[in-house]
Amino acid sequence: MSVAGDRRAGSGVPVSARALRAAGVAALALAFGCAERTPTVAGEAPSAATETPTPAAPLPPQAPIAAGPSLRPRRPLPAPVAMPGGGTLIDLRGAGRHVRALERQPDGTVKQVCVEAPEMLAPAGGSR
Amino acid sequence: MSGRRVTRLALAAALVVLAWPSHAAAKSTFVVNNVDPAGTGFNDPTPATPIGGNPGTTVGAQRLAAFREAANIWAAALDSRVPIVIDARFGPLACTAGRIQLGEAGATGLVANRPGLPQNIYIPMPLADRLAEVDLVPGEADIEATFSGNLRQCSSIAQDWYYGFDGKPRANDIDLISVVLHELGHGLGFSSGVDDDTGALLGTGLIDSFSAHIFDNGTGKAWTAMSNAERAASVRNVRHLVWNGENVTRVAPLVLEKGAPRLRVTPMPAGFRGALGEANFGPLLSAGAVTGAIRLGTPVDGCAVAPNYNGAIVLFQSGVCPSAQKADLAEAGGAAAILITDPEGLSPPSSVVVPPDQEAMFPVQVPVLGISTADANLLIAAGSSASLTLDAEAARSVGLDEQGRMYLYASDPIVPGSTVSHWDPIARPNLMLEPTSGYDVSHDIRLEVALLRDIGWTPFCGNGRLDPDEACDSGANNSDTTPGACRSTCVAARCGDAVMDPGEACDNGASNSDTMPGACRSTCVKARCGDGVADPGEACDNGASNSDTASGACRSTCVAARCGDQVMDPGETCDDGPNNSDTMPGACRALCVKAACGDGVIDPGEICDDGPQNAAGAACTPQCQRPAPDKGCGCAVSSGASDAGALAGLLAALLLAGVRRRRHRAVSRSAPQARCATVVFSGSRYPALRAGSASCSTGS
């Protein structure tokens, strides 16, 4: 079963209106400083409305906007030490923290992400 | 705005309200140490206007109040006799063009093999304190937390923190409470100590309290039973890492929505994972299955007017333009559904998220889902020979495996800082401890609390020991349904707990009411006459004012005052109850009016009473008297004769009067002189004749 045709008929939005909205979004993205674009793939024709699709072409690799995952060496945790009264303690003060960051996405949206970024623990800039 | 978006926002708003009540009786104490220097961070003196329930009047005060609000939400949900101490600061944190560090937190230590605590397992410091019921490292905080004091300076779009308590940040701003809740969750124990890359355990090879609950449903092995290499592989076993804990498994179906998305491919390409990410716009798959062939978008980024896709499922690369725009254009080109690759090539793919304004601008009506680049390439390679079916498993909660266990975030490649120590991002609704979040805001930590209970943050209530603030604790026998039992919250059975306990006639819990007709009363007695509420079958009920003697009062049997109840009520001139009579002379009548001339009964003082026939000129006057003697002959009756004698006398008098009247008529024309003869009756059995005399005019 395919439901797309029925739903498209229901949407009734002309292509010209869609193009106008697209222009609006582009302007909005610029206004909000989101003009960065992921590089288009060589040989790609971005606006060929009548272009014949090429189903066998693999998707080009995409460069993540953040540092590549799992590329950083994991910072080793401190060694366990004996506790007064028994047991062992791994002292995590100043280490082993979870970091929440705000990340801009290729399409201009932003999202919160959890990262492990020891280098980001270093202060940068002033604070008020 | 799509119905889905509305639902999500409504749900998020509801969750903000329904989340753990921040001002409920706290189960633990979270001490927030402000370690910022004067004039900065929590001590920033910049004036601020109270917002969203945050009463602070400086930026620093609002920061501290919001932080404490988040801490209180956790405190209301977790039990600890030992205060949980957080060293908190609002310091400068790093930011780059593409990433701004919002905050970070973590436990200050991991404890193992402490006497009295579970052995051979690392336990985060706050939990170790709670289990030991003593501060194991006095003078040191249990959690350290730092949040960005320079968010506004870092942001290119003037984003700032939102310090309100209501979870309703202004556009672009970041809800501080949400981020603090998330980070404190990690500090409390929502964190794996296993090395993502190597699978190595902590220290000398001990697992931690979080990782001890991780299970791989692909290999059928718990992490506790795996080698390092097996764990390292399991970290990447997408949609196979699940949480093995009874509290989470019990609570998850109550939190998660049903209708898990599914992509099936025939024939299935080797290595195809089929892990999907949902979009926060467009319809959900539960609306019905979508079947079609795969088509690569033209252009592949989907950011230009599209050709005719003829009902195909169209695949796009992420980025360049908003995802909603791609979907909108593809829908216009005839796409049945849209798949968009993850921007970082991750499997499972991230959720496809657009901000509310873009969602409103592109009202997409076809399903949109995220897919990993690897799976996308396998579909492209399969080409038109593959048939795709997108549908939803209606009975399956979104975020649970087939056995009802919550997915944890296994990813390929590993995302340091995200992988393992979060829920899988497929969960719907979005959860507090997901690795990413978009534009919705929630303060709901129900599933995270369940997880923390699984690792040892068990409530004191239920341990069978009477702890402070508990009225009772029968351990496993605590029950919210057994009459008279200690309740699951360790309060004694009571009227109002919806269980009919001994001594109670009824108990409908919150439906008990002292004003609703027929309801079980707040004292757990049944509705009854005299409780002041007119219940079914009662005409009235004025409670203590019910009276069987007061005029017009509701009677003690909850019937209205009425004629015949022996009380002269408003509108009545008498009421002798059962003695009311419409035939007894002088009696109060059945309609509670006094005996009167005209009621058809000759009452004392009346000579006659013919009821409605009383009339001037009739046998009985309106005054219940005989007509006054006219010029002819008339009769009056006086008492004194026996019945027989009286009757005989009366007849004689009448005869005599008739004779004389006739004679009189003849005579009177010339001699209108009249005289009357009198016959006296006494003891007559004829009431009309009793106690009277008959006097007839004789005309002479």
Side-chain angles (χ1 to χ4, degrees), chain A residues 1-4 7-8 11 15 18 21-22 25 28 32 37-38 44-49 51 53-60 62 64 66 69-70 74 77 80 83-94 97-107 109-116 120-128, chain B residues 44 46 63 90 92 94 97-105 107-114 122 125 140 144 149-150 156-157 159 182-183 186 191 195 197 202 289 291 295-296 298-300 304-305 317-318 320-322 325 328 331-332 334-336 341 350 355 357 361-362 365 377 380 414 416-418 422 434-437 439:
Chain A
M1 181 184 72
S2 175
V3 298
R7 293 190 174 169
R8 186 176 64 84
S11 68
V15 170
R18 292 169 192 270
R21 288 204 303 256
V25 167
L28 196 64
F32 279 87
R37 297 281 189 271
T38 50
E44 189 181 333
S47 301
E51 183 183 12
T54 52
L59 282 176
Q62 298 175 57
S70 199
R74 187 186 174 97
L77 293 176
M83 296 177 71
T88 59
L89 170 69
I90 298 176
D91 188 348
L92 296 177
R93 285 176 296 177
R97 297 174 183 173
H98 289 264
V99 178
R100 193 75 164 170
L102 195 63
E103 215 174 62
R104 189 189 308 159
Q105 302 301 297
D107 62 0
T109 59
V110 294
K111 68 178 181 182
Q112 292 180 35
V113 298
C114 272
V115 296
E116 186 182 71
M120 293 190 76
L121 295 175
S127 170
R128 271 297 289 227
Chain B
D44 188 330
T46 306
R63 287 170 172 169
F90 245 83
R99 180 186 282 177
I100 302 168
Q101 188 176 345
L102 294 172
E104 48 89 8
T108 54
L110 295 165
V111 176
N113 293 330
R114 177 79 177 183
Y122 271 104
M125 185 62 75
E140 292 289 342
E144 290 179 328
N150 53 329
S156 61
I157 56 172
Q159 286 169 299
H182 180 105
E183 290 304 310
H186 285 309
S191 176
D195 187 302
D197 293 319
L202 289 163
T291 301
R295 283 277 297 275
L296 187 62
T298 306
V300 72
V305 174
Q317 186 179 5
S318 66
V320 180
C321 65
Q325 183 184 359
D328 188 59
E331 182 185 350
T341 59
S350 302
D357 59 335
M361 190 177 294
F362 302 107
Q365 298 300 316
N377 281 326
I380 293 168
I414 294 169
S418 283
H422 293 86
E434 283 189 34
T436 63
S437 66
Y439 295 89

Side-chain angles (χ1 to χ4, degrees), chain B residues 300-395:
Chain B
V300 72
D301 62 30
C303 297
V305 174
N308 189 348
Y309 288 123
N310 291 326
I313 296 172
V314 183
L315 179 64
F316 292 117
Q317 186 179 5
S318 66
V320 180
C321 65
S323 297
Q325 183 184 359
K326 300 173 197 282
D328 188 59
L329 292 169
E331 182 185 350
I338 290 110
L339 300 175
I340 300 177
T341 59
D342 183 85
E344 298 181 78
L346 296 176
S347 181
S350 302
S351 301
V352 183
V353 175
V354 299
D357 59 335
Q358 290 181 11
E359 184 187 5
M361 190 177 294
F362 302 107
V364 177
Q365 298 300 316
V366 295
V368 180
L369 296 122
I371 189 170
S372 72
T373 304
D375 276 353
N377 281 326
L378 288 172
L379 292 178
I380 293 168
S384 58
S385 64
S387 173
L388 278 64
T389 299
L390 281 164
D391 65 359
E393 297 176 76

Side-chain angles (χ1 to χ4, degrees), chain B residues 440-673:
Chain B
D440 53 345
V441 174
S442 167
H443 297 169
D444 185 359
I445 56 171
R446 284 176 294 172
L447 264 175
E448 289 74 20
V449 169
L451 182 143
L452 293 179
R453 288 181 174 169
D454 280 337
I455 70 170
W457 287 96
T458 51
F460 287 136
C461 177
N463 62 10
R465 182 186 70 183
L466 192 64
D467 292 300
D469 301 325
E470 293 178 354
C472 56
D473 194 337
S474 303
N477 291 325
N478 289 352
S479 168
D480 290 335
T481 56
T482 303
C486 183
R487 299 294 175 230
S488 63
T489 52
C490 288
V491 297
R494 62 175 180 81
C495 175
D497 62 9
V499 180
M500 199 169 82
D501 299 307
E504 297 176 354
C506 57
D507 192 338
N508 293 324
S511 297
N512 290 355
S513 170
D514 290 336
T515 56
M516 287 289 290
C520 183
R521 300 296 174 226
S522 64
T523 51
C524 288
V525 297
K526 289 184 176 176
R528 61 175 178 80
C529 177
D531 62 10
V533 181
D535 300 307
E538 298 176 356
C540 57
D541 192 338
N542 293 325
S545 298
N546 290 354
S547 170
D548 291 336
T549 56
S551 174
C554 183
R555 301 296 173 226
S556 63
T557 52
C558 288
V559 296
R562 62 177 177 79
C563 176
D565 62 7
Q566 220 162 353
V567 180
M568 196 169 78
D569 301 306
E572 298 174 356
T573 56
C574 60
D575 192 339
D576 293 332
N579 293 323
N580 291 352
S581 170
D582 286 342
T583 57
M584 288 290 290
C588 182
R589 298 295 174 229
L591 295 177
C592 289
V593 294
K594 287 184 175 175
C597 174
D599 61 10
V601 180
I602 301 174
D603 299 307
E606 297 174 358
I607 300 301
C608 58
D609 193 336
D610 293 336
Q613 279 73 46
N614 292 351
C620 189
T621 69
Q623 292 76 35
C624 289
Q625 299 299 318
R626 293 300 180 196
D630 59 12
K631 300 288 175 38
C633 184
C635 292
V637 178
S638 62
S639 61
S642 66
D643 287 350
L647 183 58
L650 175 62
L651 292 174
L654 292 174
L655 286 172
L656 181 59
V659 170
R660 290 186 174 173
R661 178 169 297 199
R662 285 193 293 274
R663 184 184 297 170
H664 166 73
R665 287 195 189 109
V667 173
S668 62
R669 294 185 187 99
S670 56
Q673 188 72 24

Side-chain angles (χ1 to χ4, degrees), chain B residues 47-206:
Chain B
T49 303
I51 186 170
N54 187 328
T57 55
T58 66
V59 169
Q62 289 195 352
R63 287 170 172 169
L64 193 56
F67 196 106
R68 285 182 169 147
E69 181 73 6
N72 286 340
I73 291 173
W74 280 114
L78 299 176
D79 283 354
S80 177
R81 286 179 171 173
V82 182
I84 296 155
V85 180
I86 306 166
D87 276 354
R89 59 176 60 84
F90 245 83
L93 292 177
C95 51
T96 64
R99 180 186 282 177
I100 302 168
Q101 188 176 345
L102 294 172
E104 48 89 8
T108 54
L110 295 165
V111 176
N113 293 330
R114 177 79 177 183
L117 298 187
Q119 298 295 291
N120 298 318
I121 190 168
Y122 271 104
I123 302 169
M125 185 62 75
L127 176 57
D129 281 357
R130 178 254 178 265
L131 293 173
E133 299 191 4
V134 65
D135 189 353
L136 294 174
V137 185
E140 292 289 342
D142 300 302
I143 294 174
E144 290 179 328
T146 303
F147 289 82
S148 176
N150 53 329
L151 172 58
R152 190 175 185 84
Q153 294 92 323
C154 287
S155 173
S156 61
I157 56 172
Q159 286 169 299
D160 205 345
W161 290 111
Y162 176 71
Y163 300 119
F165 297 170
D166 56 4
K168 297 175 181 174
R170 298 165 298 187
N172 294 321
D173 282 353
I174 309 298
D175 185 61
L176 176 61
I177 288 177
S178 300
V179 181
V180 175
L181 283 171
H182 180 105
E183 290 304 310
L184 292 185
H186 285 309
L188 292 165
F190 202 118
S191 176
S192 170
V194 171
D195 187 302
D196 299 340
D197 293 319
T198 66
L201 301 176
L202 289 163
T204 55
L206 297 183

